[in-house]
Amino acid sequence: MTQDRALGALLGLAVGDALGMPVEGLSHQNVRLYYKGIKEYRADEKRGELAAGQWTADTQRALALAHALAAHPDDAEAAHALFAAGLDRLVLRRDRATPHAPHAVAAVSAVPLGVAWAAQGWDEREAFRWVRTFFADEHAETQAAAYGQAFAVHVVLGSVLEPEDGRLFVEDVAEEVEEAEDLLGGDRRVSARLHALASHLDETPLDLRDRVGGSGPAADEAFPFALAMFARNPALVEGTLLAAVNVGGDANTVGALVGALLGAHVGWAAFPDAWKAGLEESARLEGEAATLLGALDVGGAT
């Protein structure tokens, strides 16, 4: 894992969130009708809530978790307490998460745990313990999706994925999620949809969306769809990320999930300069990411 790829995972999350922000909740047809497709940062022109390059609660939650993890990289309980206290102080933008509902938002928050997993060399049991500690109050599907995203980030950071590896990658994540679902006492809805996508990665984004019943906020929609979108073309940052958010639905969450995986794969340096420059509080985000990587002892390369 290189420092650049770890930064890419953490900062690519915010980029994807900001790109998808204006079209969050819109259908694919309305994304095309009102925005002619997202090609760059855009303001939320219909609701008038946020400006171009701004991010939502997805990034706020992940940033709070990264801050807590940097303070307590070896103590899950202390890190969680700081995370919870940090969330209590925030006014979360456009936070539509409902307690005990199976949303995919925790999967975005879990990205820093994926970076820690790769840096600390946790085994699956230890990684699962960290995820459970942070998201124990969430629905079983939400926890399973969070564990799956952390596992995916960990795998991508520690490997070099080739285009032909996509199917095996999705199947590996599906198997890990299935084990998590069994441990959590939930059904296998998230893993089943991942398995259903694995052999169809050459299909269009709309086809993939339909195979998981949509690209909405549910843990078994947004997370499997985002993982498949990354796996079908992990080397193209702009094309892959824009294709994902332009499908519509929970576009900012999907964008954040895809952006984190793309960043873990290609590194922060590969992201367009315009996306870096236009991202809200980019210097602060880079500083927070660097603090976490320092706490995890991630140097130039490991």
Side-chain angles (χ1 to χ4, degrees), residues 92-150:
L92 294 171
R93 297 171 176 169
R94 209 186 280 175
D95 182 30
R96 296 184 172 89
T98 303
H100 309 298
H103 291 306
V105 292
V108 180
S109 304
V111 168
L113 292 176
V115 175
W117 189 344
Q120 305 285 71
W122 295 334
D123 60 20
E124 284 82 358
R125 180 177 296 181
E126 180 67 2
F128 183 74
R129 183 179 75 83
W130 276 83
V131 172
R132 284 296 314 273
T133 299
F134 275 90
F135 305 113
D137 293 334
E138 302 286 352
H139 192 281
E141 289 177 19
T142 301
Q143 292 184 57
Y147 178 76
Q149 181 73 2

Side-chain angles (χ1 to χ4, degrees), residues 5-277:
R5 289 172 71 182
L7 281 172
L10 297 166
L11 300 173
L13 182 163
V15 168
D17 182 3
L19 284 168
M21 172 274 294
V23 295
E24 179 192 9
L26 298 185
S27 67
H28 174 67
Q29 292 78 8
N30 283 339
V31 172
R32 308 301 302 179
L33 175 64
Y34 296 124
Y35 288 90
K36 311 303 180 188
I38 295 295
K39 305 177 184 66
E40 59 195 6
Y41 293 137
R42 297 279 297 275
D44 187 337
E45 297 162 8
K46 300 305 170 185
R47 284 162 287 205
E49 294 176 322
L50 298 170
Q54 288 194 288
W55 23 265
T56 75
D58 287 358
T59 298
Q60 290 177 289
R61 290 174 180 276
L63 191 61
L65 195 150
H67 178 76
L69 186 56
H72 302 286
D74 300 313
D75 189 334
E77 286 72 23
H80 172 256
L82 186 57
F83 171 60
L87 288 184
D88 285 343
R89 291 192 296 269
L90 288 174
V91 177
L92 294 171
R93 297 171 176 169
R94 209 186 280 175
D95 182 30
R96 296 184 172 89
T98 303
H100 309 298
H103 291 306
V105 292
V108 180
S109 304
V111 168
L113 292 176
V115 175
W117 189 344
Q120 305 285 71
W122 295 334
D123 60 20
E124 284 82 358
R125 180 177 296 181
E126 180 67 2
F128 183 74
R129 183 179 75 83
W130 276 83
V131 172
R132 284 296 314 273
T133 299
F134 275 90
F135 305 113
D137 293 334
E138 302 286 352
H139 192 281
E141 289 177 19
T142 301
Q143 292 184 57
Y147 178 76
Q149 181 73 2
F151 175 77
V153 169
H154 145 72
V155 168
V156 174
L157 284 172
S159 60
V160 178
L161 292 178
E162 301 295 338
E164 61 270 20
D165 296 331
R167 177 175 181 173
L168 180 60
F169 170 70
V170 174
E171 289 285 9
D172 284 347
V173 176
E175 289 173 8
E176 285 289 325
V177 170
E178 188 173 301
E179 290 183 16
E181 288 167 331
D182 290 346
L183 288 170
L184 292 164
D187 58 29
R188 292 184 172 180
R189 190 178 309 174
V190 180
S191 60
R193 289 189 157 173
L194 286 166
H195 282 303
L197 290 171
S199 60
H200 298 278
L201 300 180
D202 58 343
E203 295 181 356
T204 71
L206 294 179
D207 291 331
L208 294 177
R209 177 200 64 182
D210 291 345
R211 287 189 180 277
V212 292
S215 53
D220 60 333
E221 293 182 11
F223 168 61
F225 173 71
L227 194 83
M229 286 300 297
F230 162 75
R232 70 196 291 270
N233 212 338
L236 293 179
V237 174
E238 292 178 80
T240 296
L241 191 43
L242 293 178
V245 302
N246 277 304
V247 167
D250 197 11
N252 64 315
T253 297
V254 168
L257 294 168
V258 175
L261 291 168
L262 288 168
H265 181 60
V266 303
W268 182 232
F271 277 68
D273 288 341
W275 289 2
K276 296 176 183 177

